Amino acid sequence: MKLKLILSFILFAYISDSKAQSYFNGKFQEKSYTFDNKTYKLYDFSRKGTSSSNIKAKYFATNAHSQYLKWKTGKKILLVTAGAFSDTWLSTATPVGLCVDNGVIVNRSPNKTMDGMVIVYNGAAQIGGIAVVDLDKKSIKCESPYGSGNYKYFTPRDKVSHITPFLNWGKKAGLTVFQTQLVYSEKKTLSENFSNLTYGKKRERRYLAICKKAGTVHHVVVDAKDEQYLMKGAKNVLRVLNHDGFEVLYIMNLDTGDKNILYTYNGVSLYNHNPSSSSRAKIEKATNLLVYYKD
């Protein structure tokens, strides 16, 4: 026990932080940490409160900018960034893996390797919430019919017979459902999560973490501008989030390729960070968008 405390102290001693910015009574906070000679900027959204007062998530899986323009009226936009993966760079591209986009089925073909199924709630008391299922470890629990209190369990990545009923469930419920990469899952051991720390090429990274703190769900977008390996960066993000008091449930990889965009609220307006020089890295050309907002 004493050795564990000493090791924890040594780890925390090497994580330095800067002053946080806080908005909406602390429901949206910005913090920066330096660890392993790299900087991690945290955009922390608390889900504490009623559905009317909560900060909410919204996801557009295709035709993102046109959907965003029609939807955003009357809302205070706090963060906009690129999300998961699509089959081309076109704004009309098809998402990779199973997908229902705001109640519209857009892809019926599961990706056999992506282990994360993400469900974004677009209505009722859960509006703006995100549920994640580790497809390597669990089936998907679906309330069917939606609102009935009755549940069915689907494994649509692995069972062809489950694909249509699962997608129809998402359509009827008006949900957004998509597959993505989990770079950390609470359902897996550390060795399962981080078996290959040098996977891929070094590049700028961005992650979405679903966490808990003091019993409250938090969504944390972590921007890592310094070039690093995907899984090494994810492991560092896990350590930084733990240091900040978060119980981390899942971490997802967000796209920082040619469609790399990031806008955040600065207390007055939405600031464009311009993280990429690519001509395709513009919100007007977005293939998909992850948005956090307040009504």
Side-chain angles (χ1 to χ4, degrees):
M1 184 63 165
K2 186 179 291 184
L3 177 60
K4 185 176 180 180
L5 290 173
I6 292 171
L7 291 174
S8 296
F9 174 79
I10 292 172
L11 171 62
F12 291 172
Y14 282 92
I15 298 179
S16 61
D17 62 285
S18 62
K19 186 177 180 181
Q21 295 289 329
S22 182
Y23 308 100
F24 310 111
N25 297 316
K27 288 191 173 184
F28 172 32
Q29 295 189 59
E30 296 181 15
K31 307 172 187 176
S32 287
Y33 289 96
T34 299
F35 175 62
D36 194 25
N37 293 317
K38 294 175 174 58
T39 300
Y40 299 91
K41 184 71 173 286
L42 277 56
Y43 298 96
D44 171 19
F45 301 96
S46 169
R47 291 280 296 161
K48 185 176 183 179
T50 63
S51 60
S52 61
S53 65
N54 269 341
I55 289 176
K56 303 174 180 69
K58 184 74 173 176
Y59 192 80
F60 301 104
T62 189
N63 295 307
H65 187 245
S66 60
Q67 288 199 75
Y68 170 75
L69 289 179
K70 294 175 184 177
W71 164 86
K72 71 172 186 174
T73 302
K75 301 172 179 67
K76 186 176 289 295
I77 308 301
L78 306 179
L79 182 145
V80 183
T81 192
F85 303 95
S86 301
D87 59 0
T88 74
W89 291 115
L90 299 174
S91 61
T92 55
T94 300
V96 174
L98 294 170
C99 183
V100 180
D101 187 17
N102 294 282
V104 178
I105 297 173
V106 293
N107 194 348
R108 296 178 177 271
S109 300
N111 181 280
K112 294 300 184 181
T113 59
M114 285 185 175
D115 51 354
M117 184 64 72
V118 183
I119 301 166
V120 184
Y121 294 94
N122 295 317
Q126 292 174 294
I127 185 170
I130 289 178
V132 181
V133 178
D134 183 343
L135 296 174
D136 289 341
K137 298 295 182 178
K138 289 184 65 178
S139 56
I140 306 167
K141 181 180 178 181
C142 301
E143 191 177 19
S144 182
Y146 192 63
S148 68
N150 299 315
Y151 294 91
K152 294 181 179 179
Y153 295 83
F154 298 115
T155 53
R157 184 186 65 169
D158 305 314
K159 294 183 179 178
V160 173
S161 62
H162 286 196
I163 293 173
T164 295
F166 171 69
L167 292 175
N168 285 341
W169 167 79
K171 177 181 178 180
K172 290 176 182 177
L175 302 174
T176 294
V177 178
F178 63 94
Q179 273 185 268
T180 193
Q181 294 175 321
L182 294 181
V183 291
Y184 173 80
S185 166
E186 64 164 347
K187 304 299 181 185
K188 295 184 174 80
T189 64
L190 285 179
S191 60
E192 286 177 306
N193 277 303
F194 303 119
S195 60
N196 185 1
L197 291 179
T198 57
Y199 171 79
K201 297 180 180 180
K202 287 185 176 182
R203 63 183 305 167
E204 176 186 355
R205 301 292 176 184
R206 193 168 301 120
Y207 304 91
L208 171 62
I210 307 299
C211 312
K212 286 185 178 179
K213 182 185 284 189
T216 297
V217 173
H218 290 247
H219 299 180
V220 186
V221 174
V222 183
D223 191 42
K225 293 184 182 300
D226 302 303
E227 291 190 351
Q228 55 201 289
Y229 293 114
L230 174 65
M231 298 309 300
K232 180 66 182 299
K235 190 172 185 179
N236 285 354
V237 166
L238 176 65
R239 289 173 171 173
V240 167
L241 290 170
N242 287 160
H243 172 69
D244 196 27
F246 288 105
E247 173 193 352
V248 182
L249 307 179
Y250 301 100
I251 303 175
M252 290 158 276
N253 180 31
L254 298 179
D255 187 8
T256 55
D258 277 6
K259 291 297 186 80
N260 181 9
I261 63 171
L262 179 64
Y263 296 74
T264 63
Y265 178 72
N266 61 11
V268 178
S269 60
L270 203 58
Y271 175 74
N272 184 1
H273 291 263
N274 286 309
S276 173
S277 60
S278 169
S279 62
R280 290 193 289 260
K282 299 181 184 300
I283 192 170
E284 295 84 2
K285 298 182 179 181
T287 300
N288 59 70
L289 291 173
L290 172 67
V291 183
Y292 281 90
Y293 70 99
K294 196 172 184 346
D295 289 320

Short mmCIF file of all heavy atoms in Angstrom, two decimals, residues 23-29 43-58 78 119-131 146 208-220 246 249 290-295:
data_model
loop_
_atom_site.label_atom_id
_atom_site.label_comp_id
_atom_site.label_asym_id
_atom_site.label_seq_id
_atom_site.Cartn_x
_atom_site.Cartn_y
_atom_site.Cartn_z
N TYR A 23 -17.29 27.96 -17.06
CA TYR A 23 -18.48 28.62 -17.57
C TYR A 23 -19.73 27.89 -17.07
O TYR A 23 -19.68 26.69 -16.78
CB TYR A 23 -18.49 28.64 -19.11
CG TYR A 23 -17.22 29.18 -19.74
CD1 TYR A 23 -16.24 28.32 -20.25
CD2 TYR A 23 -17.00 30.54 -19.83
CE1 TYR A 23 -15.09 28.81 -20.83
CE2 TYR A 23 -15.84 31.05 -20.42
CZ TYR A 23 -14.89 30.18 -20.91
OH TYR A 23 -13.74 30.67 -21.48
N PHE A 24 -20.83 28.63 -16.99
CA PHE A 24 -22.14 28.06 -16.64
C PHE A 24 -22.07 27.29 -15.31
O PHE A 24 -22.42 26.11 -15.23
CB PHE A 24 -22.66 27.15 -17.76
CG PHE A 24 -22.62 27.80 -19.12
CD1 PHE A 24 -21.73 27.35 -20.09
CD2 PHE A 24 -23.44 28.87 -19.41
CE1 PHE A 24 -21.68 27.94 -21.34
CE2 PHE A 24 -23.39 29.48 -20.67
CZ PHE A 24 -22.51 29.02 -21.62
N ASN A 25 -21.58 28.02 -14.29
CA ASN A 25 -21.49 27.45 -12.94
C ASN A 25 -20.68 26.15 -12.91
O ASN A 25 -20.99 25.21 -12.17
CB ASN A 25 -22.88 27.21 -12.36
CG ASN A 25 -23.67 28.50 -12.19
OD1 ASN A 25 -23.12 29.51 -11.71
ND2 ASN A 25 -24.93 28.49 -12.56
N GLY A 26 -19.64 26.12 -13.71
CA GLY A 26 -18.72 24.97 -13.70
C GLY A 26 -19.15 23.80 -14.56
O GLY A 26 -18.45 22.78 -14.59
N LYS A 27 -20.26 23.92 -15.28
CA LYS A 27 -20.70 22.80 -16.11
C LYS A 27 -19.84 22.62 -17.35
O LYS A 27 -19.80 21.55 -17.95
CB LYS A 27 -22.17 22.98 -16.50
CG LYS A 27 -23.13 22.75 -15.34
CD LYS A 27 -24.56 22.67 -15.82
CE LYS A 27 -25.48 22.27 -14.68
NZ LYS A 27 -26.87 22.10 -15.14
N PHE A 28 -19.16 23.68 -17.76
CA PHE A 28 -18.19 23.59 -18.85
C PHE A 28 -16.89 24.18 -18.34
O PHE A 28 -16.84 25.35 -17.95
CB PHE A 28 -18.70 24.35 -20.08
CG PHE A 28 -17.69 24.48 -21.20
CD1 PHE A 28 -16.74 23.50 -21.44
CD2 PHE A 28 -17.72 25.58 -22.04
CE1 PHE A 28 -15.82 23.63 -22.47
CE2 PHE A 28 -16.81 25.72 -23.09
CZ PHE A 28 -15.86 24.74 -23.30
N GLN A 29 -15.84 23.36 -18.32
CA GLN A 29 -14.55 23.81 -17.85
C GLN A 29 -13.46 23.46 -18.86
O GLN A 29 -13.53 22.43 -19.53
CB GLN A 29 -14.20 23.16 -16.51
CG GLN A 29 -15.14 23.55 -15.38
CD GLN A 29 -14.63 23.05 -14.03
OE1 GLN A 29 -13.53 23.38 -13.59
NE2 GLN A 29 -15.43 22.23 -13.38
N TYR A 43 -11.61 19.73 -22.37
CA TYR A 43 -12.87 20.45 -22.45
C TYR A 43 -13.91 19.56 -21.77
O TYR A 43 -14.36 18.56 -22.34
CB TYR A 43 -13.24 20.73 -23.91
CG TYR A 43 -12.23 21.61 -24.62
CD1 TYR A 43 -11.23 21.04 -25.40
CD2 TYR A 43 -12.28 22.99 -24.49
CE1 TYR A 43 -10.29 21.84 -26.04
CE2 TYR A 43 -11.34 23.81 -25.13
CZ TYR A 43 -10.35 23.22 -25.90
OH TYR A 43 -9.42 24.01 -26.54
N ASP A 44 -14.25 19.93 -20.55
CA ASP A 44 -15.03 19.07 -19.65
C ASP A 44 -16.47 19.55 -19.57
O ASP A 44 -16.74 20.67 -19.14
CB ASP A 44 -14.35 19.10 -18.27
CG ASP A 44 -15.18 18.43 -17.18
OD1 ASP A 44 -16.07 17.64 -17.51
OD2 ASP A 44 -14.92 18.73 -16.00
N PHE A 45 -17.41 18.67 -19.95
CA PHE A 45 -18.84 18.98 -19.93
C PHE A 45 -19.53 18.09 -18.90
O PHE A 45 -19.56 16.87 -19.05
CB PHE A 45 -19.46 18.75 -21.31
CG PHE A 45 -18.83 19.57 -22.39
CD1 PHE A 45 -17.83 19.02 -23.19
CD2 PHE A 45 -19.20 20.88 -22.60
CE1 PHE A 45 -17.23 19.77 -24.19
CE2 PHE A 45 -18.60 21.64 -23.61
CZ PHE A 45 -17.61 21.08 -24.40
N SER A 46 -20.07 18.71 -17.85
CA SER A 46 -20.78 17.98 -16.81
C SER A 46 -22.21 17.74 -17.23
O SER A 46 -22.88 18.62 -17.77
CB SER A 46 -20.75 18.78 -15.50
OG SER A 46 -21.64 18.20 -14.56
N ARG A 47 -22.72 16.54 -16.93
CA ARG A 47 -24.11 16.21 -17.24
C ARG A 47 -24.99 16.28 -15.99
O ARG A 47 -26.07 15.71 -15.96
CB ARG A 47 -24.16 14.81 -17.86
CG ARG A 47 -23.55 14.70 -19.23
CD ARG A 47 -24.48 15.19 -20.30
NE ARG A 47 -25.68 14.35 -20.37
CZ ARG A 47 -26.82 14.70 -20.93
NH1 ARG A 47 -26.96 15.91 -21.44
NH2 ARG A 47 -27.84 13.87 -20.97
N LYS A 48 -24.54 17.00 -14.99
CA LYS A 48 -25.31 17.13 -13.75
C LYS A 48 -26.47 18.09 -13.96
O LYS A 48 -26.32 19.17 -14.53
CB LYS A 48 -24.43 17.64 -12.62
CG LYS A 48 -25.12 17.69 -11.26
CD LYS A 48 -24.15 18.10 -10.17
CE LYS A 48 -24.82 18.09 -8.80
NZ LYS A 48 -23.88 18.46 -7.73
N GLY A 49 -27.66 17.71 -13.48
CA GLY A 49 -28.82 18.60 -13.58
C GLY A 49 -29.96 17.98 -14.36
O GLY A 49 -29.92 16.80 -14.74
N THR A 50 -30.97 18.76 -14.61
CA THR A 50 -32.14 18.29 -15.35
C THR A 50 -31.85 18.34 -16.85
O THR A 50 -30.89 18.98 -17.29
CB THR A 50 -33.36 19.18 -15.06
OG1 THR A 50 -33.08 20.51 -15.52
CG2 THR A 50 -33.65 19.22 -13.56
N SER A 51 -32.69 17.67 -17.63
CA SER A 51 -32.47 17.63 -19.08
C SER A 51 -32.55 19.03 -19.69
O SER A 51 -31.90 19.31 -20.69
CB SER A 51 -33.50 16.72 -19.75
OG SER A 51 -34.82 17.19 -19.51
N SER A 52 -33.32 19.93 -19.07
CA SER A 52 -33.45 21.28 -19.62
C SER A 52 -32.22 22.14 -19.34
O SER A 52 -31.91 23.06 -20.09
CB SER A 52 -34.69 21.97 -19.06
OG SER A 52 -34.61 22.08 -17.65
N SER A 53 -31.49 21.83 -18.25
CA SER A 53 -30.33 22.65 -17.88
C SER A 53 -29.00 22.02 -18.27
O SER A 53 -27.97 22.66 -18.19
CB SER A 53 -30.34 22.91 -16.36
OG SER A 53 -30.17 21.69 -15.65
N ASN A 54 -29.03 20.76 -18.68
CA ASN A 54 -27.80 20.04 -19.01
C ASN A 54 -27.11 20.60 -20.25
O ASN A 54 -27.75 21.09 -21.18
CB ASN A 54 -28.11 18.57 -19.29
CG ASN A 54 -27.99 17.72 -18.05
OD1 ASN A 54 -27.37 18.11 -17.08
ND2 ASN A 54 -28.60 16.55 -18.08
N ILE A 55 -25.79 20.50 -20.25
CA ILE A 55 -25.05 20.63 -21.51
C ILE A 55 -25.21 19.32 -22.26
O ILE A 55 -25.16 18.24 -21.68
CB ILE A 55 -23.57 20.95 -21.23
CG1 ILE A 55 -23.46 22.39 -20.69
CG2 ILE A 55 -22.73 20.77 -22.49
CD1 ILE A 55 -22.07 22.78 -20.28
N LYS A 56 -25.43 19.42 -23.56
CA LYS A 56 -25.82 18.25 -24.34
C LYS A 56 -24.85 18.00 -25.50
O LYS A 56 -24.20 18.92 -25.99
CB LYS A 56 -27.24 18.45 -24.90
CG LYS A 56 -28.30 18.71 -23.83
CD LYS A 56 -29.63 19.04 -24.46
CE LYS A 56 -30.70 19.30 -23.40
NZ LYS A 56 -30.45 20.55 -22.66
N ALA A 57 -24.81 16.75 -25.93
CA ALA A 57 -24.04 16.35 -27.10
C ALA A 57 -24.97 16.14 -28.28
O ALA A 57 -26.12 15.71 -28.12
CB ALA A 57 -23.28 15.07 -26.81
N LYS A 58 -24.48 16.45 -29.47
CA LYS A 58 -25.21 16.18 -30.71
C LYS A 58 -24.20 15.67 -31.73
O LYS A 58 -23.05 16.14 -31.77
CB LYS A 58 -25.86 17.47 -31.22
CG LYS A 58 -26.73 17.29 -32.46
CD LYS A 58 -28.05 16.60 -32.15
CE LYS A 58 -28.96 16.60 -33.37
NZ LYS A 58 -30.22 15.85 -33.09
N LEU A 78 -20.99 25.30 -27.84
CA LEU A 78 -19.83 25.35 -26.95
C LEU A 78 -18.59 24.68 -27.54
O LEU A 78 -17.47 25.07 -27.23
CB LEU A 78 -20.16 24.71 -25.61
CG LEU A 78 -21.41 25.26 -24.91
CD1 LEU A 78 -21.64 24.52 -23.59
CD2 LEU A 78 -21.27 26.76 -24.66
N ILE A 119 -24.16 5.49 -28.86
CA ILE A 119 -25.58 5.86 -28.98
C ILE A 119 -25.75 7.27 -28.44
O ILE A 119 -25.43 7.52 -27.27
CB ILE A 119 -26.48 4.87 -28.23
CG1 ILE A 119 -26.29 3.46 -28.77
CG2 ILE A 119 -27.95 5.30 -28.32
CD1 ILE A 119 -26.87 2.37 -27.89
N VAL A 120 -26.21 8.19 -29.28
CA VAL A 120 -26.45 9.57 -28.87
C VAL A 120 -27.96 9.79 -28.81
O VAL A 120 -28.67 9.56 -29.80
CB VAL A 120 -25.81 10.57 -29.85
CG1 VAL A 120 -25.99 12.01 -29.34
CG2 VAL A 120 -24.33 10.27 -30.06
N TYR A 121 -28.45 10.21 -27.65
CA TYR A 121 -29.88 10.39 -27.45
C TYR A 121 -30.31 11.78 -27.90
O TYR A 121 -29.75 12.79 -27.46
CB TYR A 121 -30.23 10.16 -25.98
CG TYR A 121 -30.01 8.73 -25.54
CD1 TYR A 121 -28.80 8.34 -24.95
CD2 TYR A 121 -30.98 7.76 -25.75
CE1 TYR A 121 -28.58 7.02 -24.57
CE2 TYR A 121 -30.77 6.43 -25.38
CZ TYR A 121 -29.58 6.07 -24.79
OH TYR A 121 -29.36 4.77 -24.42
N ASN A 122 -31.31 11.82 -28.76
CA ASN A 122 -31.75 13.08 -29.36
C ASN A 122 -33.07 13.61 -28.80
O ASN A 122 -33.57 14.63 -29.26
CB ASN A 122 -31.90 12.90 -30.88
CG ASN A 122 -30.57 12.62 -31.55
OD1 ASN A 122 -29.57 13.24 -31.24
ND2 ASN A 122 -30.56 11.66 -32.46
N GLY A 123 -33.64 12.92 -27.81
CA GLY A 123 -34.91 13.38 -27.26
C GLY A 123 -35.18 12.80 -25.88
O GLY A 123 -34.38 12.04 -25.33
N ALA A 124 -36.32 13.22 -25.30
CA ALA A 124 -36.79 12.77 -23.99
C ALA A 124 -35.80 13.15 -22.89
O ALA A 124 -34.94 14.01 -23.08
CB ALA A 124 -37.06 11.27 -24.00
N ALA A 125 -35.89 12.49 -21.74
CA ALA A 125 -35.09 12.88 -20.58
C ALA A 125 -33.60 12.66 -20.79
O ALA A 125 -32.77 13.33 -20.16
CB ALA A 125 -35.55 12.11 -19.35
N GLN A 126 -33.23 11.74 -21.69
CA GLN A 126 -31.82 11.43 -21.92
C GLN A 126 -31.20 12.30 -23.00
O GLN A 126 -30.04 12.07 -23.37
CB GLN A 126 -31.68 9.96 -22.31
CG GLN A 126 -32.01 8.98 -21.19
CD GLN A 126 -31.99 7.55 -21.69
OE1 GLN A 126 -32.81 7.15 -22.51
NE2 GLN A 126 -31.04 6.77 -21.21
N ILE A 127 -31.90 13.29 -23.50
CA ILE A 127 -31.42 14.08 -24.62
C ILE A 127 -30.02 14.64 -24.34
O ILE A 127 -29.73 15.14 -23.26
CB ILE A 127 -32.38 15.23 -24.96
CG1 ILE A 127 -31.92 15.99 -26.21
CG2 ILE A 127 -32.57 16.19 -23.78
CD1 ILE A 127 -32.94 16.97 -26.75
N GLY A 128 -29.15 14.50 -25.34
CA GLY A 128 -27.78 14.99 -25.20
C GLY A 128 -26.84 14.04 -24.50
O GLY A 128 -25.64 14.33 -24.39
N GLY A 129 -27.35 12.91 -24.06
CA GLY A 129 -26.49 11.92 -23.41
C GLY A 129 -25.86 10.98 -24.42
O GLY A 129 -26.33 10.85 -25.56
N ILE A 130 -24.79 10.35 -24.01
CA ILE A 130 -24.10 9.38 -24.87
C ILE A 130 -23.92 8.08 -24.09
O ILE A 130 -23.45 8.09 -22.95
CB ILE A 130 -22.73 9.91 -25.32
CG1 ILE A 130 -22.89 11.05 -26.33
CG2 ILE A 130 -21.89 8.79 -25.94
CD1 ILE A 130 -21.58 11.65 -26.80
N ALA A 131 -24.30 6.97 -24.71
CA ALA A 131 -24.03 5.64 -24.16
C ALA A 131 -23.03 4.94 -25.07
O ALA A 131 -23.09 5.09 -26.29
CB ALA A 131 -25.32 4.84 -24.06
N TYR A 146 -39.21 1.63 -27.62
CA TYR A 146 -38.57 2.69 -26.85
C TYR A 146 -39.57 3.32 -25.88
O TYR A 146 -40.67 3.69 -26.26
CB TYR A 146 -38.02 3.75 -27.80
CG TYR A 146 -37.09 4.76 -27.17
CD1 TYR A 146 -35.88 4.35 -26.61
CD2 TYR A 146 -37.41 6.10 -27.13
CE1 TYR A 146 -35.02 5.27 -26.03
CE2 TYR A 146 -36.55 7.03 -26.56
CZ TYR A 146 -35.36 6.61 -26.01
OH TYR A 146 -34.51 7.51 -25.44
N LEU A 208 -12.40 11.59 -27.16
CA LEU A 208 -13.61 11.83 -26.38
C LEU A 208 -13.67 10.80 -25.28
O LEU A 208 -13.71 9.59 -25.56
CB LEU A 208 -14.87 11.75 -27.25
CG LEU A 208 -16.21 11.78 -26.50
CD1 LEU A 208 -16.38 13.10 -25.75
CD2 LEU A 208 -17.38 11.53 -27.45
N ALA A 209 -13.69 11.26 -24.03
CA ALA A 209 -13.77 10.37 -22.88
C ALA A 209 -15.12 10.50 -22.20
O ALA A 209 -15.62 11.62 -22.00
CB ALA A 209 -12.65 10.69 -21.89
N ILE A 210 -15.73 9.37 -21.88
CA ILE A 210 -16.95 9.33 -21.07
C ILE A 210 -16.51 8.90 -19.67
O ILE A 210 -15.93 7.83 -19.50
CB ILE A 210 -17.98 8.35 -21.65
CG1 ILE A 210 -18.25 8.67 -23.12
CG2 ILE A 210 -19.27 8.42 -20.84
CD1 ILE A 210 -18.82 10.04 -23.39
N CYS A 211 -16.79 9.76 -18.69
CA CYS A 211 -16.24 9.59 -17.35
C CYS A 211 -17.31 9.82 -16.29
O CYS A 211 -18.43 10.25 -16.58
CB CYS A 211 -15.10 10.59 -17.09
SG CYS A 211 -13.86 10.72 -18.39
N LYS A 212 -16.93 9.56 -15.05
CA LYS A 212 -17.73 9.94 -13.91
C LYS A 212 -16.85 10.64 -12.89
O LYS A 212 -15.66 10.34 -12.76
CB LYS A 212 -18.38 8.72 -13.24
CG LYS A 212 -19.54 8.13 -14.02
CD LYS A 212 -20.20 7.00 -13.23
CE LYS A 212 -21.40 6.43 -13.98
NZ LYS A 212 -22.03 5.33 -13.24
N LYS A 213 -17.44 11.61 -12.19
CA LYS A 213 -16.77 12.28 -11.09
C LYS A 213 -17.83 12.60 -10.03
O LYS A 213 -18.82 13.26 -10.35
CB LYS A 213 -16.06 13.55 -11.55
CG LYS A 213 -15.30 14.27 -10.42
CD LYS A 213 -14.70 15.60 -10.88
CE LYS A 213 -13.48 15.39 -11.73
NZ LYS A 213 -12.78 16.69 -12.00
N ALA A 214 -17.62 12.10 -8.82
CA ALA A 214 -18.58 12.31 -7.73
C ALA A 214 -19.99 11.88 -8.14
O ALA A 214 -20.98 12.54 -7.81
CB ALA A 214 -18.57 13.76 -7.28
N GLY A 215 -20.08 10.79 -8.89
CA GLY A 215 -21.37 10.24 -9.29
C GLY A 215 -22.01 10.89 -10.49
O GLY A 215 -23.08 10.46 -10.92
N THR A 216 -21.39 11.94 -11.04
CA THR A 216 -21.95 12.65 -12.19
C THR A 216 -21.22 12.26 -13.47
O THR A 216 -19.99 12.17 -13.48
CB THR A 216 -21.85 14.18 -11.98
OG1 THR A 216 -22.64 14.56 -10.86
CG2 THR A 216 -22.34 14.94 -13.22
N VAL A 217 -21.96 12.05 -14.54
CA VAL A 217 -21.35 11.73 -15.83
C VAL A 217 -20.75 13.00 -16.43
O VAL A 217 -21.35 14.08 -16.40
CB VAL A 217 -22.40 11.14 -16.80
CG1 VAL A 217 -21.81 10.96 -18.19
CG2 VAL A 217 -22.91 9.80 -16.27
N HIS A 218 -19.56 12.87 -16.97
CA HIS A 218 -18.88 13.95 -17.67
C HIS A 218 -18.45 13.45 -19.05
O HIS A 218 -18.02 12.31 -19.19
CB HIS A 218 -17.62 14.41 -16.92
CG HIS A 218 -17.89 15.14 -15.65
ND1 HIS A 218 -17.59 16.47 -15.48
CD2 HIS A 218 -18.42 14.72 -14.47
CE1 HIS A 218 -17.93 16.86 -14.25
NE2 HIS A 218 -18.43 15.80 -13.63
N HIS A 219 -18.58 14.32 -20.04
CA HIS A 219 -17.98 14.08 -21.35
C HIS A 219 -16.77 15.01 -21.44
O HIS A 219 -16.90 16.22 -21.21
CB HIS A 219 -18.95 14.43 -22.48
CG HIS A 219 -20.22 13.63 -22.46
ND1 HIS A 219 -21.21 13.80 -23.41
CD2 HIS A 219 -20.66 12.66 -21.63
CE1 HIS A 219 -22.20 12.97 -23.16
NE2 HIS A 219 -21.90 12.27 -22.08
N VAL A 220 -15.62 14.46 -21.78
CA VAL A 220 -14.40 15.27 -21.83
C VAL A 220 -13.74 15.09 -23.20
O VAL A 220 -13.32 13.99 -23.57
CB VAL A 220 -13.40 14.88 -20.72
CG1 VAL A 220 -12.21 15.83 -20.73
CG2 VAL A 220 -14.07 14.86 -19.35
N PHE A 246 -11.22 11.84 -12.34
CA PHE A 246 -12.24 11.18 -13.12
C PHE A 246 -12.11 9.65 -13.03
O PHE A 246 -11.01 9.11 -13.05
CB PHE A 246 -12.14 11.57 -14.61
CG PHE A 246 -12.57 12.97 -14.91
CD1 PHE A 246 -11.63 13.95 -15.18
CD2 PHE A 246 -13.91 13.31 -14.93
CE1 PHE A 246 -12.01 15.25 -15.48
CE2 PHE A 246 -14.31 14.60 -15.21
CZ PHE A 246 -13.37 15.57 -15.49
N LEU A 249 -14.62 5.68 -18.08
CA LEU A 249 -15.38 4.53 -18.56
C LEU A 249 -14.93 4.13 -19.96
O LEU A 249 -14.63 2.96 -20.21
CB LEU A 249 -16.87 4.85 -18.56
CG LEU A 249 -17.45 5.37 -17.23
CD1 LEU A 249 -18.93 5.67 -17.37
CD2 LEU A 249 -17.20 4.38 -16.11
N LEU A 290 -19.16 16.40 -34.19
CA LEU A 290 -19.55 16.24 -32.79
C LEU A 290 -19.71 17.64 -32.20
O LEU A 290 -18.79 18.46 -32.29
CB LEU A 290 -18.49 15.47 -32.02
CG LEU A 290 -18.67 15.39 -30.50
CD1 LEU A 290 -19.91 14.56 -30.14
CD2 LEU A 290 -17.41 14.79 -29.84
N VAL A 291 -20.88 17.91 -31.61
CA VAL A 291 -21.19 19.25 -31.12
C VAL A 291 -21.65 19.16 -29.66
O VAL A 291 -22.43 18.28 -29.30
CB VAL A 291 -22.32 19.90 -31.95
CG1 VAL A 291 -22.60 21.33 -31.48
CG2 VAL A 291 -21.98 19.88 -33.43
N TYR A 292 -21.15 20.10 -28.84
CA TYR A 292 -21.68 20.27 -27.49
C TYR A 292 -22.34 21.64 -27.42
O TYR A 292 -21.83 22.63 -27.95
CB TYR A 292 -20.57 20.13 -26.44
CG TYR A 292 -20.25 18.69 -26.19
CD1 TYR A 292 -19.26 18.03 -26.94
CD2 TYR A 292 -20.96 17.94 -25.26
CE1 TYR A 292 -19.00 16.68 -26.75
CE2 TYR A 292 -20.71 16.61 -25.06
CZ TYR A 292 -19.74 15.97 -25.81
OH TYR A 292 -19.51 14.64 -25.64
N TYR A 293 -23.50 21.68 -26.75
CA TYR A 293 -24.31 22.90 -26.77
C TYR A 293 -25.15 23.03 -25.51
O TYR A 293 -25.31 22.10 -24.73
CB TYR A 293 -25.22 22.92 -27.99
CG TYR A 293 -26.36 21.90 -27.93
CD1 TYR A 293 -27.64 22.28 -27.55
CD2 TYR A 293 -26.13 20.55 -28.23
CE1 TYR A 293 -28.68 21.34 -27.49
CE2 TYR A 293 -27.16 19.63 -28.18
CZ TYR A 293 -28.43 20.03 -27.81
OH TYR A 293 -29.46 19.11 -27.73
N LYS A 294 -25.71 24.24 -25.36
CA LYS A 294 -26.64 24.52 -24.27
C LYS A 294 -27.87 25.19 -24.88
O LYS A 294 -27.76 26.06 -25.72
CB LYS A 294 -25.98 25.46 -23.25
CG LYS A 294 -26.68 25.51 -21.91
CD LYS A 294 -25.84 26.30 -20.92
CE LYS A 294 -26.39 26.34 -19.52
NZ LYS A 294 -27.75 25.93 -19.29
N ASP A 295 -29.07 24.73 -24.45
CA ASP A 295 -30.30 25.34 -24.95
C ASP A 295 -30.46 26.77 -24.46
O ASP A 295 -29.99 27.11 -23.37
CB ASP A 295 -31.51 24.51 -24.49
CG ASP A 295 -31.58 23.17 -25.21
OD1 ASP A 295 -31.30 23.13 -26.43
OD2 ASP A 295 -31.89 22.17 -24.54
#
